[in-house]
Each structure stands twice: as C-alpha cells, then as structure tokens.
Amino acid sequence: MIEKITLPNGVRILYEQVPSVRSCALGVWVESGSRHEPEELGGISHYIEHMLFKGTHTRTAAELASGFDALGGQVNAFTTKEHTCFYCRTLGEYLPEAAELLCDMYFNSAFDEQATDLERSVIIEEIGMYEDTPDDLVNEQLFSAVYDGYKLGRPILGTKESLEGINGETLRRYRADNYTPGNTVVALCGNYSQKDIDSLCMVFSKMEKKPFPVIEKSIYQPAFTLKTKDTEQNHLMLGFEGLKTGSEERYVMQVLNGILGSGMSSRLFQTVREKNGLCYTVYSFCTAYIDTGVCGIYTALSKETELKAIELILSVLRDIKENGVTQQELQRNITQLKSNVLMGLENNSARMTTMARNEFVYGRQISEEEISRGFDSVTRQQVHEMAQRIFDFSRMSFSAVGKVREEIEYKKVLGM
C-alpha cells in the first residue's frame, strides 16, 4: 500500500513497501521544467540537472560517481517541460548510503564556475546531437510551432544563445527560487526500512517554505513548418489538439491511439507499411501536459512516396471518423493497454515514477483496479466520438524535415 507524509513545509513523501524484492527505487521530483523558465534563461532547468552531478561542497563529480558505483547502484536524472527528476536504484540494504549521496547532490551542489563552463559545452553538443536526429527534430519543430509564443513551445535544452548567459551563480539562484518544498515530491518504492523514511523526512524538512512558480497557460494552435536537411528520408509529423494530463477521457484517448497507430495490428501500420510497403516506421502518439496536449502521427520515408503516404494516413483518419472502430479492435486494444500498464507496474522504478506523477496530477494514487475499470468502461461509441472531435482537419498541424518539397505541394495533399 502506498503511504504519504506531507511535511510541515509542504514536501510530500510517498513510499510503498515491496518486501518480495531486494531492491528499491528512490526519486526526488520537482515540478520545475522548461515551461517555467523565462526566455532569457531557456534551458536552465536541464542545465541544473546536469550540474547536480558535477560536484558538491564536500564531494567531487568523480567521488559522486564512484560512490554510487561502489554500492552497485544506478543513478540518473531527466528534465521534461514540466518536471525534473533525480533518481537512483539500489539494493535496500544500501539505500541509506545511496539516499545520502542523492540528497548531497540535490541540496549541496557547488555550481563551480569552471565546471559550469565545461558543462555548457557538453549541453551545446547535446543540442547538436538532437539537430542531427531528424525524428527528434521534426517533433521539436512541430511542438515549437503549435505552442509558438508560449513557454511550452521552447526546447527543453535551451539554445546556444540562452545558455551563454547562464553562469554558476545564475544556476544557484534559479535552483533556490524554483526547487521549493511545495513543488517537491519524494517517491520511494521497494525494500527499505522505517529508518529510511525517517531519514528522508528529517532531510527534506530542512527545506525553507516559500512560494513556488506558477505555470503559464498554453493553448494549441494549428501550425505548418518545414525544415530542409540533407537526410536519406523525409520525416513527417501530423498533429491535432489532444487531451491534457489527467483528463477524464484519457482512457478513451489511449484506446483510440492504440487502434490508430500503436503496434503492428494498428490501422496505420497495416495500411501504410504492410499493405503498401511505403515505410518502415509509422505510428501515432499522445503527448499530454497539465493544461493541453497533442495527438500526432509520425512516419519516415522517401521523397518519392511521401505524398502517397500522407494520402493514406488521411484516408485512415477519415475512415475512423466516419465509421468508427470494430468491437474486435476495441477489445484487443483494451486488453493490450491494460496488460502493458499493469505489467509495467511490476517494476520498482516504474512504480516510483507512477507514484510521483499521480501525486502531481491528481493529488492521489490511482489503483490498478481503477485503471482496469477505466479501460474496461470504454465503448465503441466513445472512441468514435473522440475520433470525430480530435481529428479536425481544419485545425491540423504539419511538420517535415529532410529534402522537403515546396509548401504548396504539402498543403495541397493535406487539404490545408
């Protein structure tokens, strides 16, 4: 059973004992990501994520790394548009040492100027790596366009220009202002002792209570973007306004997405790849944020076949809008989705992540029984109505990266 302690300063500590395993996963989550940043400090959340591994007031970066390795543990972090997470996984018997290392990083990072300058170069190389990865680039182009003018549309990594204006003191000050008790969740899952919980409470109770940043509301807007790049394939993405995180219709949306383009039996895979042989990869996806979302379709293929592929994708969307889905499709995808979600929760790290995200979105935990009921309650009528509402061609977005055509050629086949 998942337990929750809310400390007087506002930090929430979630924990679930799983005595049948020997390991545990510990994550420190902050509701602070790229959409919280001012434009001139774009990428600073991700920059801080990197710098927490670069040494504290008492340990060097090498000592932090060797400390986790000596425990046989794993440590990592990631930054999203809305959150930053620092986490580790270790055997339960080594959790006190691993937690102490993780908390030292979290609370005592030095943000040394020399290390900050070195890491800036690393992040700029990371930006270059994504620029050279066309499937990431076409995604970034689409989201930047549909949320143009909003913080949500800015890249998580920032830009070379914004990073140049950030130094150690800037990082230190931003972290102090944005990593606050009210937007911090600590999640622990696995085999641990009560002493571990008591220790986490003691450490995080020292955080000073203060206001935390408020997210600026973002609104989806139809967009069209092309980027010429010397690639073997053209990478295409269609986008529609989706659902926000925690929507009551999320189960319907997931089933629709599964039928449309998730897996080898999906309509897009069968139509574009299997029956017509136009591509290797084609799929649909749903990306949700606290106040908005995008439902998208991605494929990569040659310039010679891309227009035919777009026509086929649009025909699949029209068919699902006009005729809905079959009972067989519905049941198959409900079973598949339930299985994927519930089997995924058998992993400590996945459970830890789910605990934290549920706390941020719902302020409570969603049980496995509730998940099962949510999927089982989805009907063909609901999926049909969702498709009719989501796939509004008058509000469709499009992004392409590669040896792209003229804008008018794409817009003609898209009916834009």
Side-chain angles (χ1 to χ4, degrees):
M1 187 172 77
I2 299 172
E3 305 282 355
K4 175 181 172 181
I5 296 173
T6 302
L7 300 177
N9 60 4
V11 174
R12 289 158 285 177
I13 298 180
L14 310 172
Y15 52 100
E16 181 182 32
Q17 181 69 246
V18 186
S20 60
V21 301
R22 294 196 60 180
S23 67
C24 58
L26 171 64
V28 181
W29 293 72
V30 190
E31 197 170 14
S32 180
S34 59
R35 70 177 302 185
H36 295 87
E37 302 164 351
E39 185 172 9
E40 67 274 13
L41 297 179
I44 193 169
S45 300
H46 175 255
Y47 208 150
I48 289 171
E49 175 216 315
H50 275 234
M51 290 304 300
L52 261 61
F53 290 83
K54 300 305 170 185
T56 69
H57 297 303
T58 57
R59 290 183 173 99
T60 65
E63 287 170 338
L64 288 171
S66 63
F68 279 107
D69 287 347
L71 301 174
Q74 303 162 356
V75 62
N76 213 328
F78 60 84
T79 305
T80 70
K81 301 272 188 178
E82 297 179 333
H83 300 96
T84 305
C85 173
F86 305 88
Y87 64 95
C88 66
R89 184 168 180 263
T90 185
L91 292 177
E93 60 199 275
Y94 301 133
L95 179 60
E97 293 88 346
E100 195 275 324
L101 284 166
L102 193 66
C103 289
D104 189 29
M105 291 167 49
Y106 190 76
F107 289 108
N108 303 313
S109 283
F111 297 109
D112 175 77
E113 290 295 347
Q114 183 178 4
T116 299
D117 289 340
L118 286 172
E119 203 59 27
R120 183 185 299 109
S121 299
V122 172
I123 298 173
I124 289 172
E125 289 300 319
E126 188 177 358
I127 292 172
M129 180 183 71
Y130 280 99
E131 286 280 344
D132 286 340
T133 309
D135 53 334
D136 288 327
L137 184 57
V138 72
N139 182 280
E140 187 67 55
Q141 292 286 312
L142 179 78
F143 279 76
S144 295
V146 299
Y147 294 118
D148 184 37
Y150 298 101
K151 294 180 180 180
L152 190 58
R154 298 179 196 151
I156 293 171
L157 303 186
T159 64
K160 183 177 180 181
E161 291 72 27
S162 65
L163 296 176
E164 290 293 345
I166 298 173
N167 57 29
E169 178 56 32
T170 312
L171 293 167
R172 194 177 298 110
R173 186 169 57 251
Y174 190 88
R175 185 214 169 282
D177 291 341
N178 291 270
Y179 282 37
T180 70
N183 67 353
T184 298
V185 167
V186 181
L188 174 63
C189 181
N191 197 327
Y192 54 84
S193 70
Q194 182 58 44
K195 287 184 177 180
D196 295 317
I197 301 299
D198 295 340
S199 178
L200 289 171
C201 289
M202 181 184 68
V203 171
F204 282 89
S205 66
K206 297 176 182 178
M207 292 183 72
E208 180 186 353
K209 189 172 184 177
K210 61 175 71 172
F212 55 86
V214 177
I215 287 180
E216 165 200 81
K217 183 176 175 60
S218 297
I219 300 173
Y220 169 94
Q221 52 204 349
F224 184 95
T225 175
L226 302 176
K227 186 175 182 65
T228 301
K229 196 170 184 65
D230 188 15
T231 58
E232 290 296 321
Q233 294 181 307
N234 281 1
H235 297 255
L236 313 179
M237 193 167 281
L238 278 70
F240 300 88
E241 184 173 8
L243 303 181
K244 67 180 182 179
T245 302
S247 167
E248 293 182 359
E249 297 179 291
R250 63 190 181 279
Y251 296 108
V252 180
M253 185 74 252
Q254 289 181 68
V255 172
L256 172 59
N257 179 63
I259 294 170
L260 176 63
S262 178
M264 292 188 295
S265 65
S266 69
R267 292 193 180 190
L268 286 173
F269 192 92
Q270 287 295 314
T271 301
V272 183
R273 171 173 161 156
E274 297 298 277
K275 294 179 182 177
N276 289 275
L278 296 181
C279 66
Y280 179 78
T281 301
V282 59
Y283 61 84
S284 62
F285 63 90
C286 296
T287 300
Y289 303 107
I290 201 68
D291 56 351
T292 182
V294 172
C295 175
I297 296 166
Y298 165 84
T299 189
L301 65 181
S302 71
K303 186 174 182 178
E304 290 71 28
T305 59
E306 63 176 353
L307 296 184
K308 180 173 176 57
I310 293 172
E311 290 176 346
L312 287 171
I313 290 169
L314 294 176
S315 73
V316 169
L317 294 177
R318 291 191 188 99
D319 182 56
I320 206 167
K321 281 185 67 174
E322 293 171 9
N323 304 310
V325 301
T326 67
Q327 186 62 35
Q328 183 182 32
E329 285 178 312
L330 179 76
Q331 196 54 55
R332 182 174 66 239
N333 277 273
I334 286 175
T335 301
Q336 184 182 43
L337 285 162
K338 278 200 308 184
S339 299
N340 289 344
V341 172
L342 297 179
M343 286 191 298
L345 291 176
E346 294 182 357
N347 175 280
N348 281 344
S349 296
R351 291 189 74 86
M352 178 274 290
T353 296
T354 301
M355 288 161 57
R357 287 179 171 161
N358 282 340
E359 178 63 30
F360 282 123
V361 176
Y362 307 104
R364 66 182 183 89
Q365 296 304 307
I366 308 298
S367 69
E368 295 176 16
E369 292 75 19
E370 184 176 345
I371 293 170
S372 293
R373 288 195 304 270
F375 283 121
D376 287 336
S377 67
V378 176
T379 66
R380 289 173 59 196
Q381 181 66 24
Q382 288 175 320
V383 175
H384 191 189
E385 290 174 355
M386 177 72 73
Q388 291 175 321
R389 190 170 87 239
I390 293 293
F391 302 128
D392 179 352
F393 295 133
S394 70
R395 290 178 54 76
M396 179 171 60
S397 297
F398 180 77
S399 177
V401 169
K403 297 171 183 174
V404 297
R405 300 169 182 269
E406 294 295 323
E407 179 176 328
I408 191 171
E409 294 184 72
Y410 290 114
K411 287 190 171 180
K412 182 178 180 181
V413 72
L414 289 164
M416 299 175 80

